[in-house]
Amino acid sequence: MKEIEPYIRVTQYHETDQMGIINHVNYIRWMEEARVDYLEKIGFGYEKAVEAGIDFALLGIQCRYKAMTRFRERVKIYVFVKKISPMRITVGYEMIGENDGKVRFTAESEHCYYSSVKNRPVRLDRELPKLYEKLLAYCEEAEIRQGRAE
Amino acid sequence: MKEIEPYIRVTQYHETDQMGIINHVNYIRWMEEARVDYLEKIGFGYEKAVEAGIDFALLGIQCRYKAMTRFRERVKIYVFVKKISPMRITVGYEMIGENDGKVRFTAESEHCYYSSVKNRPVRLDRELPKLYEKLLAYCEEAEIRQGRAE
Amino acid sequence: MKEIEPYIRVTQYHETDQMGIINHVNYIRWMEEARVDYLEKIGFGYEKAVEAGIDFALLGIQCRYKAMTRFRERVKIYVFVKKISPMRITVGYEMIGENDGKVRFTAESEHCYYSSVKNRPVRLDRELPKLYEKLLAYCEEAEIRQGRAE
Amino acid sequence: MKEIEPYIRVTQYHETDQMGIINHVNYIRWMEEARVDYLEKIGFGYEKAVEAGIDFALLGIQCRYKAMTRFRERVKIYVFVKKISPMRITVGYEMIGENDGKVRFTAESEHCYYSSVKNRPVRLDRELPKLYEKLLAYCEEAEIRQGRAE
């Protein structure tokens, strides 16, 4: 199974703070950007889920800030499916500086699948079986990735 | 007619940038916050307009950055209705440092009234006549204010 | 020891997203705002630490999103010192809707004390002993609070 | 003289608001991103100016919101130097939807050159003559562009 290319992000001036580094709040946004980019890359754009009335509602996040980033750096954000079930998904993130190869940030986000039509969490395998199968397939891949990283 | 109290805002760390000042992008957010606060103060909370399906869609903004603000300053943002018609409203803003009384920022925003139900701009005097009358009343006040300021 | 008043935050329009709720990214900003507010309330404004060249650099965050918030809600954010040592501090957060008393969000952030002068983490008890003592004193209080909450 | 490629931006979920469109505040950020991208493309990365202690401090902006953008659209932002003098620069922006070719947003920003070392506005032709000459050269190009657009 082919490796998923990371999401490339260039840090912006408006993302800096007065410590002279990128403010940590932005990393949370990049997680979302990278997750959406990942879904597109595995072949199921998030906008299709949204159009079908399904959102990945956030239940929790865990983040570790390992090393700072500065204005006009390029970072690579690797996304992987850590755990998935019909009701829940846990997505992992690893952010690496393109110039130095150093890990800057790692994170996890846990989501349920929320139907804006039914106004409650739903089973993804019933609502969007194609997306569910894709994520399931990549989850196995993810486990291998994790194994390699550790 | 009674003067409308300004919107008080404390600048935040996450709003600073690496120049060591508050990043200009945040002022645009504060305009929105101050406008919503103003509507509440004149007695017609914006959330009521939104519930009725009416948004103040933005057509344009003009801003002048007069003096910087820094972390943990308190600013007062005065809002006034500069022009109003059944199809359009122009809102003015003047931001003053609480500690030094200096003007930091002035701005104008122009809006139409957009119905999310009809999916097009609408006449405010027909859709929300009470809000329209209030704004109209305060517009006269605004003209007096402006006269004083110049 | 007196109870610390929570940080009150009104949710803003620019903080909503297309699910019609407040986007989760904003909660991370509110944590920072509430933490700074807390330091001011216990009598050592964060700007004084920053002026002395000390920042609370973020090492990690853990957040649980319990219930959504919507435009123009008022939330109360309780802050407490969960753990403190000369090199590290863990701050806890509990966000409660003012209208319904429901917990919307809980979080923890872990920080080291970073000297922008020495360009490395430092001991807070040596750099800012007054702040360290205050935080230490409130840490005991925090433990009682936690006990009550559970 | 060769045409400068526009800055390509994909709209993000965290940039949407509860009207179901991209919140206008984000466009101000994109202007900054596009401006920095432009400087890189004409061969003088903004980070070099910043390292030399020179920032393009914002004096004013004027924006016209022509048509909304939605989640997961691609927009092209054309940047051009509208006016330049040793003390000031006016930058223009035109944002076009990639899928429909429609103008979504036009804007101008006016800047002075601020030295963080001297703590005051400075002459760009003296501080960074190479950057000044480049901008001057592209300014002529810009006038032709504008002529074409109207």
Side-chain angles (χ1 to χ4, degrees), chain B residues 50-68:
Chain B
V50 172
E51 275 162 34
I54 306 296
D55 279 289
F56 280 30
L58 192 59
L59 299 174
I61 52 172
Q62 283 191 38
C63 309
R64 297 304 299 173
Y65 297 81
K66 307 274 190 180
M68 39 187 74

Side-chain angles (χ1 to χ4, degrees), chain B:
Chain B
M1 188 178 283
K2 69 178 197 303
E3 183 99 345
I4 298 300
E5 287 296 310
Y7 175 63
I8 304 292
R9 186 60 152 79
V10 180
T11 60
Q12 300 294 342
Y13 196 89
H14 61 72
E15 297 176 323
T16 61
D17 68 21
Q18 69 178 32
M19 274 187 80
I21 59 174
I22 300 302
N23 188 271
H24 65 88
V25 157
N26 296 289
Y27 292 17
I28 314 296
R29 286 207 200 95
W30 302 352
M31 287 167 63
E32 187 188 277
E33 296 177 13
R35 189 168 64 240
V36 167
D37 178 73
Y38 177 85
L39 292 176
E40 189 169 291
K41 282 174 179 158
I42 67 168
F44 199 100
Y46 188 54
E47 63 278 14
K48 276 197 275 178
V50 172
E51 275 162 34
I54 306 296
D55 279 289
F56 280 30
L58 192 59
L59 299 174
I61 52 172
Q62 283 191 38
C63 309
R64 297 304 299 173
Y65 297 81
K66 307 274 190 180
M68 39 187 74
T69 51
R70 293 186 183 276
F71 172 51
R72 218 54 193 161
E73 278 200 82
R74 282 169 66 93
V75 292
K76 296 188 286 185
I77 305 176
Y78 290 90
V79 174
F80 36 100
V81 181
K82 292 194 89 167
K83 257 192 272 184
I84 187 163
S85 75
M87 296 297 284
R88 297 270 169 103
I89 186 168
T90 303
V91 182
Y93 311 82
E94 194 174 46
M95 186 172 104
I96 290 170
E98 204 180 61
N99 63 327
D100 62 4
K102 271 172 60 179
V103 176
R104 307 297 179 86
F105 175 76
T106 59
E108 269 186 46
S109 64
E110 195 190 348
H111 308 259
C112 67
Y113 320 109
Y114 195 89
S115 164
S116 55
V117 182
K118 300 180 183 174
N119 235 11
R120 61 169 174 78
V122 290
R123 290 181 63 118
L124 192 65
D125 56 342
R126 290 194 190 148
E127 299 287 331
L128 295 171
K130 274 191 191 162
L131 175 54
Y132 185 69
E133 274 159 47
K134 272 187 195 291
L135 290 168
L136 206 60
Y138 278 95
C139 190
E140 294 161 7
E141 168 69 10
E143 275 154 25
I144 300 166
R145 257 198 66 82
Q146 270 186 270
R148 266 209 308 272
E150 274 148 26

Side-chain angles (χ1 to χ4, degrees), chain A residues 109-124:
Chain A
S109 63
E110 194 190 347
H111 307 259
C112 67
Y113 319 109
Y114 195 88
S115 164
S116 54
V117 181
K118 300 180 182 173
N119 234 13
R120 60 168 176 78
V122 290
R123 292 180 62 119
L124 192 65

Side-chain angles (χ1 to χ4, degrees), chain C residues 123-146:
Chain C
R123 290 180 63 119
L124 193 64
D125 56 342
R126 289 193 191 147
E127 300 286 331
L128 295 171
K130 274 192 191 161
L131 175 55
Y132 185 68
E133 274 160 47
K134 272 186 193 291
L135 290 168
L136 205 61
Y138 279 95
C139 189
E140 295 160 8
E141 168 70 11
E143 273 153 27
I144 301 164
R145 257 199 66 83
Q146 270 186 271

Side-chain angles (χ1 to χ4, degrees), chain D residues 74-139:
Chain D
R74 282 168 65 93
V75 291
K76 295 187 286 186
I77 305 176
Y78 289 90
V79 174
F80 37 100
V81 181
K82 291 194 90 167
K83 254 190 279 185
I84 188 162
S85 75
M87 296 297 285
R88 297 272 169 100
I89 185 168
T90 302
V91 182
Y93 310 83
E94 194 174 46
M95 185 172 105
I96 291 169
E98 203 180 63
N99 63 326
D100 61 6
K102 270 172 62 177
V103 176
R104 307 296 178 89
F105 174 76
T106 60
E108 268 186 47
S109 63
E110 194 190 347
H111 308 260
C112 66
Y113 319 109
Y114 194 88
S115 164
S116 55
V117 180
K118 301 182 182 172
N119 235 10
R120 61 168 174 78
V122 289
R123 291 181 63 118
L124 193 65
D125 56 342
R126 290 195 189 146
E127 300 286 331
L128 295 171
K130 273 192 192 163
L131 174 55
Y132 186 68
E133 272 159 48
K134 273 187 192 292
L135 290 168
L136 205 62
Y138 279 95
C139 191

Side-chain angles (χ1 to χ4, degrees), chain B residues 14 32-33 40 72, chain C residues 14 29 32-33 40 72:
Chain B
H14 61 72
E32 187 188 277
E33 296 177 13
E40 189 169 291
R72 218 54 193 161
Chain C
H14 60 73
R29 286 207 201 95
E32 188 188 274
E33 297 177 13
E40 189 170 291
R72 217 58 193 159

Side-chain angles (χ1 to χ4, degrees), chain C residues 80 94 103 142-150:
Chain C
F80 37 100
E94 193 174 48
V103 176
E143 273 153 27
I144 301 164
R145 257 199 66 83
Q146 270 186 271
R148 266 209 309 270
E150 272 148 27

